[in-house]
């Protein structure tokens, strides 16, 4: 069983429009259940970061509080993960997650079909 970070666009291409960010989040979350059904634990950095950002008093997406929490959360999570699923879409943050994952020696998948079933 693996803990798999799902990496892909969140803010990228949205100009911080909440509706477009929601579409990106929906895409990230759309692969969580299939990962779970393969016997693994899916993780999305925003599942952890967003409540922390709110608790810290962020007033808008991209403010200083948001920036101090969002990416560092994913980077910390990567130290506990076994793999990353990089979904489609331009994203500097997701590309950075993949770079860090490779440095940590984690498996990087680019398609759900590449992820083996848990034993």
């Amino acid at each position: 069983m693996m803990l798999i970070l799902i990496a892909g666009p969140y803010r990228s291409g949205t100009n911080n429009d909440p509706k477009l960010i929601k579409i990106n989040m929906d895409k990230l979350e759309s692969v969580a259940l299939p990962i779970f059904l393969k016997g693994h634990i899916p993780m999305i950095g925003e599942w952890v970061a967003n409540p922390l950002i709110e608790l810290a008093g962020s007033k808008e997406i991209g403010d200083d509080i948001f920036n101090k929490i969002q990416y560092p959360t994913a980077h910390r999570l990567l130290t506990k993960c076994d793999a990353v699923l990089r979904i489609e879409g331009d994203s500097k943050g997701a590309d950075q997650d993949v770079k860090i994952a490779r440095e940590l020696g984690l498996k990087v998948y680019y398609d759900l079909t590449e992820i083996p079933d848990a034993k």
Side-chain angles (χ1 to χ4, degrees), residues 32-66:
L33 181 58
I35 289 171
F36 181 81
L37 294 175
K38 285 180 167 273
H40 305 292
I41 302 168
M43 176 55 63
I44 298 173
E46 286 76 16
W47 286 346
V48 177
N50 287 348
L52 294 174
I53 290 166
E54 184 177 336
L55 286 168
S58 175
K59 301 296 182 208
E60 63 184 5
I61 295 170
D63 66 14
D64 285 341
I65 292 170
F66 181 97

Side-chain angles (χ1 to χ4, degrees), residues 13 18 20-21 26 38 42 44 47 54 62 64 72 77 84 92 108 116 119:
L20 297 176
I21 289 172
D26 290 347
K38 285 180 167 273
I44 298 173
W47 286 346
E54 184 177 336
D64 285 341
L77 281 170
V84 171
K92 289 179 185 177
V108 178
K119 297 180 181 184

Side-chain angles (χ1 to χ4, degrees), residues 41-98:
I41 302 168
M43 176 55 63
I44 298 173
E46 286 76 16
W47 286 346
V48 177
N50 287 348
L52 294 174
I53 290 166
E54 184 177 336
L55 286 168
S58 175
K59 301 296 182 208
E60 63 184 5
I61 295 170
D63 66 14
D64 285 341
I65 292 170
F66 181 97
N67 292 330
K68 287 179 183 176
I69 294 173
Q70 187 194 29
Y71 294 122
T73 299
H75 300 165
R76 291 180 192 184
L77 281 170
L78 282 167
T79 67
K80 301 299 181 187
C81 289
D82 302 293
V84 171
L85 173 62
R86 174 59 163 98
I87 65 170
E88 291 183 3
D90 292 337
S91 171
K92 289 179 185 177
D95 291 342
Q96 182 67 23
D97 292 344
V98 168

Side-chain angles (χ1 to χ4, degrees), residues 4-8 31 35 83-89 91 94-102 106-116:
I4 301 175
L5 183 77
I6 302 164
V31 295
I35 289 171
V84 171
L85 173 62
R86 174 59 163 98
I87 65 170
E88 291 183 3
S91 171
D95 291 342
Q96 182 67 23
D97 292 344
V98 168
K99 180 179 182 285
I100 292 169
R102 290 188 194 281
L106 305 181
K107 296 171 187 165
V108 178
Y109 301 108
Y110 291 90
D111 191 274
L112 278 169
T113 61
E114 298 174 353
I115 300 172

